């Protein structure tokens, strides 16, 4: 789906972002083609393009003259026009990556830190960030985004159990991240950050309405609707891992029994005594029912299977879901399979976390995507000032 420009509703910052996104998605592209795609005048696009070029966010390349005057220049994102750091804290350790404006991981690092306390994790982050940004001396660092297991702010459910982080409740994470790094800081659940990474740099170019199933140490997911990650009233939509799947099943640290992620997660696979093949056979029916639930709830174009699991395990899971139950998704006119494996891999979560920071520059949908009330207010003021 292509967003259209407007001078009414969002004003200039919005137009700037849709022009940038259009360049990112369709580069190399001419001014006139951008104007046609986003519904702005060529003059408006040219003004924005000049500004973005002066600021170093885009590059303009001209073909050799062909005898009939100068050919129009082609525009593309300047990959080195800016960088952001993406951080992923898991129960196993801290991953970090320096990501450029094209969404490519240019440097990355990992530190083992099983069940790290916030103090320990922020100490590692405080060392990792300058180590990564130091690899691009003089580069413009736009900010830092951190992804970690959710849910956030639910007493008795947040940061409890093996798939979450103990001792992290009541920590002002965003402020701590900003203080530690000295950069604009952003925060998300890992499943939503990963869905954002997929949307911006992965299968989001093929699908606009899909369910992103995050198969990590735990199990999560997010519905992407019209290119936007649905967040719920408190930003916790997608805790699919705690959907009750098996009556009187295994006890879950959330307090219930038989939750999906007790069977369907890397943590569950690790606990399973019988090895991967036997685990796959056992969880096959549970997985198929989960897919059926997702399809009937959301009517997605497809379910994208991603997260931290190795791609070959995701392929095996997909194979284990060969014969899916009948649902609203069992359509004859399907253009794609009901389950598709991510093309982003593990990097999706780091690229998504970094994108939280670059989105202010790159993504026109950001304003509808991940704003806190505080930021929403700031964005509205910005829009008001621009109008
Ligand atoms: Zn549970």
């Amino acid at each position: 789906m292509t967003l259209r420009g407007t001078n009414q509703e969002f004003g200039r910052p919005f137009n700037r972002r849709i022009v940038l996104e259009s360049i990112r998605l369709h580069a190399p592209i001419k001014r006139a083609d951008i104007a046609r795609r986003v519904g702005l005048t060529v003059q408006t696009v040219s003004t924005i393009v000049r500004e973005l070029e002066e600021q170093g966010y885009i590059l303009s390349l001209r073909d050799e003259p062909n005898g009939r005057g100068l050919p129009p220049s082609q525009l593309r994102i300047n990959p080195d026009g800016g960088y952001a750091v993406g951080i992923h804290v898991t129960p196993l350790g801290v991953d970090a990556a320096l990501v450029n404006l094209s969404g490519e991981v240019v440097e990355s690092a990992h530190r083992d830190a099983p069940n790290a306390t916030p103090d320990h994790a922020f100490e590692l982050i405080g060392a990792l960030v300058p180590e990564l940004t130091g690899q691009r001396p003089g580069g413009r660092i736009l900010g830092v985004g951190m992804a970690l297991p959710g849910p956030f702010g639910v007493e008795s459910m947040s940061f409890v159990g093996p798939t979450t982080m103990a001792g992290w409740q009541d920590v002002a994470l965003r402020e701590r991240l900003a203080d530690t790094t000295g950069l604009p800081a952003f925060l998300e659940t890992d499943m939503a950050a990963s869905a954002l990474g997929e949307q911006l740099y992965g299968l989001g170019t093929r699908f606009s309405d899909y369910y992103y199933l995050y198969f990590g140490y735990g199990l999560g997911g997010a519905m992407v609707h019209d290119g936007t990650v649905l967040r719920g009233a408190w930003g916790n939509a997608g805790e699919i891992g705690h959907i009750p799947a098996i009556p009187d099943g295994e006890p879950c640290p959330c307090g219930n029994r038989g939750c999906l992620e007790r069977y369907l997660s890397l943590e569950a696979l690790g606990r399973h005594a019988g090895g991967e093949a036997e685990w796959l056979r056992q969880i096959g029916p549970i997985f198929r029912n989960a897919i059926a639930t997702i399809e009937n709830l959301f009517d997605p174009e497809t379910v994208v299977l991603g997260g931290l699991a190795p791609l070959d395990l995701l392929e095996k899971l997909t194979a284990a879901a060969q014969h899916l139950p009948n649902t609203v998704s069992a359509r004859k006119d399907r253009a794609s399979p009901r389950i598709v494996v991510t093309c982003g891999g593990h990097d999706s979560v780091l690229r998504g976390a970094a994108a939280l920071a670059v989105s202010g520059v790159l993504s026109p949908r950001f304003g509808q995507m991940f704003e806190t009330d505080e930021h929403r207010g700031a964005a509205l003021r910005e829009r008001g000032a621009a109008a």
Side-chain angles (χ1 to χ4, degrees):
M1 190 200 73
T2 303
L3 289 178
R4 310 285 291 177
T6 170
N7 293 307
Q8 301 287 318
E9 203 181 340
F10 299 105
R12 206 181 156 99
F14 183 78
N15 287 344
R16 192 179 131 95
R17 289 175 195 167
I18 57 170
V19 167
L20 252 175
E21 174 154 282
S22 192
I23 296 170
R24 185 177 67 78
L25 290 175
H26 307 292
I29 185 170
K30 303 190 214 41
R31 286 167 179 77
D33 293 334
I34 299 172
R36 210 187 51 244
R37 280 184 179 277
V38 303
L40 291 168
T41 64
V42 175
Q43 195 187 352
T44 303
V45 169
S46 296
T47 307
I48 294 171
V49 159
R50 195 180 320 123
E51 205 177 283
L52 292 171
E53 213 181 333
E54 279 167 12
Q55 292 165 350
Y57 289 117
I58 59 173
L59 298 170
S60 150
L61 306 163
R62 207 184 283 278
D63 292 336
E64 289 298 308
N66 58 9
R68 285 170 297 176
L70 280 180
S73 54
Q74 304 264 8
L75 305 165
R76 64 181 180 86
I77 294 284
N78 177 10
D80 300 315
Y83 302 89
V85 181
I87 291 172
H88 188 198
V89 179
T90 75
L92 303 178
V94 179
D95 288 285
L98 188 68
V99 177
N100 71 14
L101 267 196
S102 302
E104 293 153 351
V105 172
V106 293
E107 302 287 343
S108 64
H110 168 82
R111 295 287 181 276
D112 281 331
N115 305 309
T117 60
D119 283 346
H120 185 205
F122 280 109
E123 190 187 313
L124 293 172
I125 290 166
L128 278 168
V129 170
E131 185 184 304
L132 290 172
T133 57
Q135 305 287 325
R136 289 292 185 281
R140 168 165 45 194
I141 308 297
L142 299 165
V144 54
M146 181 163 86
L148 71 170
F152 297 159
V154 185
E155 296 85 0
S156 82
M157 211 173 152
S158 297
F159 309 117
V160 176
T163 60
T164 53
M165 313 282 299
W168 283 65
Q169 63 274 47
D170 305 325
V171 179
L173 296 169
R174 189 196 298 269
E175 291 74 8
R176 191 89 192 256
L177 185 62
D179 289 348
T180 303
T181 61
L183 292 168
F186 301 82
L187 183 70
E188 249 310 331
T189 61
D190 48 12
M191 60 195 179
S194 202
L196 176 63
E198 191 73 41
Q199 174 56 29
L200 291 175
Y201 309 119
L203 292 168
T205 53
R206 255 177 79 193
F207 304 109
S208 63
D209 280 86
Y210 57 94
Y211 195 87
Y212 181 82
L213 191 58
Y214 179 87
F215 198 94
Y217 204 56
L219 184 74
M223 180 63 198
V224 179
H225 168 61
D226 231 2
T228 300
V229 181
L230 298 188
R231 309 294 301 108
W234 282 273
N236 285 326
E239 283 298 335
I240 189 173
H242 293 287
I243 285 182
I246 307 287
D248 296 321
E250 287 197 43
C252 180
C254 78
N256 301 329
R257 297 187 82 99
C259 289
L260 207 47
E261 76 173 23
R262 298 306 290 161
Y263 307 89
L264 212 54
S265 62
L266 288 179
E267 192 273 331
L269 171 58
R271 255 187 302 113
H272 190 82
E276 190 182 279
E278 194 194 298
W279 174 77
L280 279 164
R281 237 187 341 270
Q282 248 177 44
I283 57 92
I286 301 172
F287 182 54
R288 291 192 287 274
N289 284 349
I291 298 293
T293 304
I294 290 167
E295 289 178 340
N296 280 326
L297 271 176
F298 293 107
D299 189 18
E301 286 172 86
T302 190
V303 176
V304 174
L305 194 53
L308 298 185
L311 285 178
D312 74 310
L313 181 60
L314 297 179
E315 298 283 1
K316 285 176 195 163
L317 271 166
T318 307
Q322 277 262 308
H323 302 288
L324 286 168
N326 192 25
T327 74
V328 298
S329 292
R331 306 173 62 96
K332 283 202 175 66
D333 60 354
R334 294 193 62 86
S336 53
R338 284 163 70 176
I339 303 176
V340 175
V341 172
T342 174
C343 58
H346 181 189
D347 278 352
S348 273
V349 63
L350 290 169
R351 295 166 94 189
L356 294 170
V358 289
S359 279
V361 178
L362 271 186
S363 172
R365 295 189 184 89
F366 185 69
Q368 308 150 31
M369 225 185 236
F370 289 112
E371 274 168 354
T372 63
D373 286 343
E374 182 193 353
H375 283 82
R376 192 174 295 125
L380 286 173
R381 283 195 297 281
E382 184 192 11
R383 283 166 199 161

PDB file of all heavy atoms in Angstrom, residues 29-50:
ATOM      1  N   ILE A  29      14.470   6.223  -8.085  1.00  0.00           N
ATOM      2  CA  ILE A  29      13.179   6.761  -8.537  1.00  0.00           C
ATOM      3  C   ILE A  29      13.321   8.255  -8.867  1.00  0.00           C
ATOM      4  O   ILE A  29      14.124   8.953  -8.246  1.00  0.00           O
ATOM      5  CB  ILE A  29      12.090   6.515  -7.447  1.00  0.00           C
ATOM      6  CG1 ILE A  29      10.717   6.952  -7.944  1.00  0.00           C
ATOM      7  CG2 ILE A  29      12.458   7.187  -6.124  1.00  0.00           C
ATOM      8  CD1 ILE A  29       9.564   6.526  -7.048  1.00  0.00           C
ATOM      9  N   LYS A  30      12.560   8.694  -9.861  1.00  0.00           N
ATOM     10  CA  LYS A  30      12.597  10.112 -10.266  1.00  0.00           C
ATOM     11  C   LYS A  30      11.568  10.917  -9.482  1.00  0.00           C
ATOM     12  O   LYS A  30      10.568  10.384  -9.006  1.00  0.00           O
ATOM     13  CB  LYS A  30      12.255  10.227 -11.758  1.00  0.00           C
ATOM     14  CG  LYS A  30      13.139   9.421 -12.698  1.00  0.00           C
ATOM     15  CD  LYS A  30      12.828   9.857 -14.114  1.00  0.00           C
ATOM     16  CE  LYS A  30      12.897   8.832 -15.195  1.00  0.00           C
ATOM     17  NZ  LYS A  30      12.460   7.517 -15.140  1.00  0.00           N
ATOM     18  N   ARG A  31      11.813  12.226  -9.392  1.00  0.00           N
ATOM     19  CA  ARG A  31      10.881  13.118  -8.671  1.00  0.00           C
ATOM     20  C   ARG A  31       9.449  12.964  -9.174  1.00  0.00           C
ATOM     21  O   ARG A  31       8.506  12.901  -8.383  1.00  0.00           O
ATOM     22  CB  ARG A  31      11.327  14.572  -8.847  1.00  0.00           C
ATOM     23  CG  ARG A  31      12.565  14.943  -8.034  1.00  0.00           C
ATOM     24  CD  ARG A  31      13.112  16.292  -8.512  1.00  0.00           C
ATOM     25  NE  ARG A  31      14.279  16.703  -7.754  1.00  0.00           N
ATOM     26  CZ  ARG A  31      15.503  16.215  -7.917  1.00  0.00           C
ATOM     27  NH1 ARG A  31      15.719  15.252  -8.797  1.00  0.00           N
ATOM     28  NH2 ARG A  31      16.517  16.656  -7.191  1.00  0.00           N
ATOM     29  N   ALA A  32       9.301  12.934 -10.504  1.00  0.00           N
ATOM     30  CA  ALA A  32       7.949  12.884 -11.086  1.00  0.00           C
ATOM     31  C   ALA A  32       7.234  11.597 -10.681  1.00  0.00           C
ATOM     32  O   ALA A  32       6.019  11.595 -10.443  1.00  0.00           O
ATOM     33  CB  ALA A  32       8.036  12.992 -12.607  1.00  0.00           C
ATOM     34  N   ASP A  33       8.008  10.487 -10.578  1.00  0.00           N
ATOM     35  CA  ASP A  33       7.385   9.207 -10.189  1.00  0.00           C
ATOM     36  C   ASP A  33       6.987   9.205  -8.717  1.00  0.00           C
ATOM     37  O   ASP A  33       5.970   8.625  -8.340  1.00  0.00           O
ATOM     38  CB  ASP A  33       8.344   8.046 -10.482  1.00  0.00           C
ATOM     39  CG  ASP A  33       8.554   7.859 -11.978  1.00  0.00           C
ATOM     40  OD1 ASP A  33       7.637   8.236 -12.744  1.00  0.00           O
ATOM     41  OD2 ASP A  33       9.626   7.371 -12.374  1.00  0.00           O
ATOM     42  N   ILE A  34       7.803   9.868  -7.886  1.00  0.00           N
ATOM     43  CA  ILE A  34       7.424  10.003  -6.473  1.00  0.00           C
ATOM     44  C   ILE A  34       6.123  10.784  -6.384  1.00  0.00           C
ATOM     45  O   ILE A  34       5.177  10.396  -5.698  1.00  0.00           O
ATOM     46  CB  ILE A  34       8.516  10.754  -5.667  1.00  0.00           C
ATOM     47  CG1 ILE A  34       9.835   9.993  -5.705  1.00  0.00           C
ATOM     48  CG2 ILE A  34       8.063  10.963  -4.217  1.00  0.00           C
ATOM     49  CD1 ILE A  34      10.999  10.772  -5.106  1.00  0.00           C
ATOM     50  N   ALA A  35       6.070  11.911  -7.116  1.00  0.00           N
ATOM     51  CA  ALA A  35       4.886  12.778  -7.077  1.00  0.00           C
ATOM     52  C   ALA A  35       3.643  11.978  -7.456  1.00  0.00           C
ATOM     53  O   ALA A  35       2.600  12.081  -6.807  1.00  0.00           O
ATOM     54  CB  ALA A  35       5.084  13.963  -8.024  1.00  0.00           C
ATOM     55  N   ARG A  36       3.780  11.147  -8.492  1.00  0.00           N
ATOM     56  CA  ARG A  36       2.628  10.362  -8.936  1.00  0.00           C
ATOM     57  C   ARG A  36       2.222   9.348  -7.865  1.00  0.00           C
ATOM     58  O   ARG A  36       1.049   9.180  -7.563  1.00  0.00           O
ATOM     59  CB  ARG A  36       2.977   9.646 -10.249  1.00  0.00           C
ATOM     60  CG  ARG A  36       1.769   9.441 -11.148  1.00  0.00           C
ATOM     61  CD  ARG A  36       2.111   8.595 -12.359  1.00  0.00           C
ATOM     62  NE  ARG A  36       2.773   7.362 -11.983  1.00  0.00           N
ATOM     63  CZ  ARG A  36       4.020   7.062 -12.324  1.00  0.00           C
ATOM     64  NH1 ARG A  36       4.741   7.906 -13.034  1.00  0.00           N
ATOM     65  NH2 ARG A  36       4.539   5.910 -11.955  1.00  0.00           N
ATOM     66  N   ARG A  37       3.231   8.707  -7.265  1.00  0.00           N
ATOM     67  CA  ARG A  37       2.924   7.671  -6.266  1.00  0.00           C
ATOM     68  C   ARG A  37       2.254   8.230  -5.019  1.00  0.00           C
ATOM     69  O   ARG A  37       1.352   7.608  -4.469  1.00  0.00           O
ATOM     70  CB  ARG A  37       4.209   6.946  -5.840  1.00  0.00           C
ATOM     71  CG  ARG A  37       4.660   5.883  -6.812  1.00  0.00           C
ATOM     72  CD  ARG A  37       5.885   5.154  -6.275  1.00  0.00           C
ATOM     73  NE  ARG A  37       6.304   4.117  -7.196  1.00  0.00           N
ATOM     74  CZ  ARG A  37       5.774   2.901  -7.246  1.00  0.00           C
ATOM     75  NH1 ARG A  37       4.798   2.569  -6.419  1.00  0.00           N
ATOM     76  NH2 ARG A  37       6.208   2.017  -8.119  1.00  0.00           N
ATOM     77  N   VAL A  38       2.722   9.380  -4.564  1.00  0.00           N
ATOM     78  CA  VAL A  38       2.228   9.868  -3.264  1.00  0.00           C
ATOM     79  C   VAL A  38       1.180  10.970  -3.411  1.00  0.00           C
ATOM     80  O   VAL A  38       0.634  11.438  -2.408  1.00  0.00           O
ATOM     81  CB  VAL A  38       3.387  10.357  -2.354  1.00  0.00           C
ATOM     82  CG1 VAL A  38       4.406   9.253  -2.152  1.00  0.00           C
ATOM     83  CG2 VAL A  38       4.042  11.606  -2.923  1.00  0.00           C
ATOM     84  N   GLY A  39       0.905  11.383  -4.644  1.00  0.00           N
ATOM     85  CA  GLY A  39      -0.169  12.343  -4.857  1.00  0.00           C
ATOM     86  C   GLY A  39       0.172  13.764  -4.444  1.00  0.00           C
ATOM     87  O   GLY A  39      -0.695  14.515  -4.011  1.00  0.00           O
ATOM     88  N   LEU A  40       1.451  14.129  -4.559  1.00  0.00           N
ATOM     89  CA  LEU A  40       1.845  15.520  -4.319  1.00  0.00           C
ATOM     90  C   LEU A  40       2.278  16.130  -5.651  1.00  0.00           C
ATOM     91  O   LEU A  40       2.529  15.410  -6.611  1.00  0.00           O
ATOM     92  CB  LEU A  40       3.019  15.573  -3.329  1.00  0.00           C
ATOM     93  CG  LEU A  40       2.721  15.176  -1.882  1.00  0.00           C
ATOM     94  CD1 LEU A  40       4.014  15.000  -1.100  1.00  0.00           C
ATOM     95  CD2 LEU A  40       1.825  16.205  -1.211  1.00  0.00           C
ATOM     96  N   THR A  41       2.365  17.449  -5.704  1.00  0.00           N
ATOM     97  CA  THR A  41       2.846  18.072  -6.934  1.00  0.00           C
ATOM     98  C   THR A  41       4.352  17.842  -7.066  1.00  0.00           C
ATOM     99  O   THR A  41       5.054  17.652  -6.057  1.00  0.00           O
ATOM    100  CB  THR A  41       2.595  19.593  -6.939  1.00  0.00           C
ATOM    101  OG1 THR A  41       3.365  20.169  -5.884  1.00  0.00           O
ATOM    102  CG2 THR A  41       1.111  19.901  -6.751  1.00  0.00           C
ATOM    103  N   VAL A  42       4.844  17.870  -8.313  1.00  0.00           N
ATOM    104  CA  VAL A  42       6.282  17.704  -8.551  1.00  0.00           C
ATOM    105  C   VAL A  42       7.046  18.812  -7.831  1.00  0.00           C
ATOM    106  O   VAL A  42       8.117  18.587  -7.285  1.00  0.00           O
ATOM    107  CB  VAL A  42       6.590  17.712 -10.070  1.00  0.00           C
ATOM    108  CG1 VAL A  42       8.092  17.653 -10.310  1.00  0.00           C
ATOM    109  CG2 VAL A  42       5.901  16.545 -10.755  1.00  0.00           C
ATOM    110  N   GLN A  43       6.448  19.994  -7.791  1.00  0.00           N
ATOM    111  CA  GLN A  43       7.115  21.119  -7.131  1.00  0.00           C
ATOM    112  C   GLN A  43       7.289  20.863  -5.626  1.00  0.00           C
ATOM    113  O   GLN A  43       8.363  21.077  -5.066  1.00  0.00           O
ATOM    114  CB  GLN A  43       6.287  22.386  -7.351  1.00  0.00           C
ATOM    115  CG  GLN A  43       7.063  23.652  -7.026  1.00  0.00           C
ATOM    116  CD  GLN A  43       6.157  24.876  -7.089  1.00  0.00           C
ATOM    117  OE1 GLN A  43       5.006  24.790  -7.518  1.00  0.00           O
ATOM    118  NE2 GLN A  43       6.677  26.002  -6.665  1.00  0.00           N
ATOM    119  N   THR A  44       6.238  20.372  -4.984  1.00  0.00           N
ATOM    120  CA  THR A  44       6.332  20.056  -3.547  1.00  0.00           C
ATOM    121  C   THR A  44       7.381  18.977  -3.303  1.00  0.00           C
ATOM    122  O   THR A  44       8.213  19.082  -2.396  1.00  0.00           O
ATOM    123  CB  THR A  44       4.957  19.580  -3.003  1.00  0.00           C
ATOM    124  OG1 THR A  44       4.003  20.594  -3.266  1.00  0.00           O
ATOM    125  CG2 THR A  44       5.018  19.305  -1.519  1.00  0.00           C
ATOM    126  N   VAL A  45       7.348  17.926  -4.147  1.00  0.00           N
ATOM    127  CA  VAL A  45       8.330  16.848  -4.005  1.00  0.00           C
ATOM    128  C   VAL A  45       9.740  17.392  -4.200  1.00  0.00           C
ATOM    129  O   VAL A  45      10.659  17.059  -3.435  1.00  0.00           O
ATOM    130  CB  VAL A  45       8.035  15.699  -5.006  1.00  0.00           C
ATOM    131  CG1 VAL A  45       9.194  14.708  -5.054  1.00  0.00           C
ATOM    132  CG2 VAL A  45       6.740  14.990  -4.628  1.00  0.00           C
ATOM    133  N   SER A  46       9.922  18.268  -5.198  1.00  0.00           N
ATOM    134  CA  SER A  46      11.261  18.808  -5.468  1.00  0.00           C
ATOM    135  C   SER A  46      11.783  19.615  -4.291  1.00  0.00           C
ATOM    136  O   SER A  46      12.971  19.535  -3.949  1.00  0.00           O
ATOM    137  CB  SER A  46      11.231  19.698  -6.722  1.00  0.00           C
ATOM    138  OG  SER A  46      10.904  18.921  -7.841  1.00  0.00           O
ATOM    139  N   THR A  47      10.912  20.380  -3.654  1.00  0.00           N
ATOM    140  CA  THR A  47      11.319  21.166  -2.480  1.00  0.00           C
ATOM    141  C   THR A  47      11.783  20.244  -1.359  1.00  0.00           C
ATOM    142  O   THR A  47      12.840  20.457  -0.757  1.00  0.00           O
ATOM    143  CB  THR A  47      10.131  22.023  -1.968  1.00  0.00           C
ATOM    144  OG1 THR A  47       9.639  22.785  -3.066  1.00  0.00           O
ATOM    145  CG2 THR A  47      10.564  22.934  -0.853  1.00  0.00           C
ATOM    146  N   ILE A  48      10.992  19.191  -1.105  1.00  0.00           N
ATOM    147  CA  ILE A  48      11.342  18.238  -0.041  1.00  0.00           C
ATOM    148  C   ILE A  48      12.642  17.521  -0.384  1.00  0.00           C
ATOM    149  O   ILE A  48      13.529  17.357   0.458  1.00  0.00           O
ATOM    150  CB  ILE A  48      10.194  17.228   0.173  1.00  0.00           C
ATOM    151  CG1 ILE A  48       8.960  17.944   0.726  1.00  0.00           C
ATOM    152  CG2 ILE A  48      10.624  16.101   1.108  1.00  0.00           C
ATOM    153  CD1 ILE A  48       7.701  17.085   0.784  1.00  0.00           C
ATOM    154  N   VAL A  49      12.775  17.119  -1.647  1.00  0.00           N
ATOM    155  CA  VAL A  49      13.962  16.377  -2.087  1.00  0.00           C
ATOM    156  C   VAL A  49      15.219  17.237  -1.912  1.00  0.00           C
ATOM    157  O   VAL A  49      16.253  16.744  -1.440  1.00  0.00           O
ATOM    158  CB  VAL A  49      13.792  15.918  -3.556  1.00  0.00           C
ATOM    159  CG1 VAL A  49      15.137  15.627  -4.203  1.00  0.00           C
ATOM    160  CG2 VAL A  49      12.892  14.693  -3.629  1.00  0.00           C
ATOM    161  N   ARG A  50      15.109  18.516  -2.259  1.00  0.00           N
ATOM    162  CA  ARG A  50      16.279  19.393  -2.124  1.00  0.00           C
ATOM    163  C   ARG A  50      16.722  19.454  -0.660  1.00  0.00           C
ATOM    164  O   ARG A  50      17.900  19.341  -0.331  1.00  0.00           O
ATOM    165  CB  ARG A  50      15.937  20.801  -2.637  1.00  0.00           C
ATOM    166  CG  ARG A  50      17.193  21.665  -2.878  1.00  0.00           C
ATOM    167  CD  ARG A  50      16.834  23.063  -3.393  1.00  0.00           C
ATOM    168  NE  ARG A  50      15.746  23.044  -4.360  1.00  0.00           N
ATOM    169  CZ  ARG A  50      14.595  23.732  -4.230  1.00  0.00           C
ATOM    170  NH1 ARG A  50      14.372  24.481  -3.170  1.00  0.00           N
ATOM    171  NH2 ARG A  50      13.673  23.690  -5.167  1.00  0.00           N
TER     172      ARG A  50
END
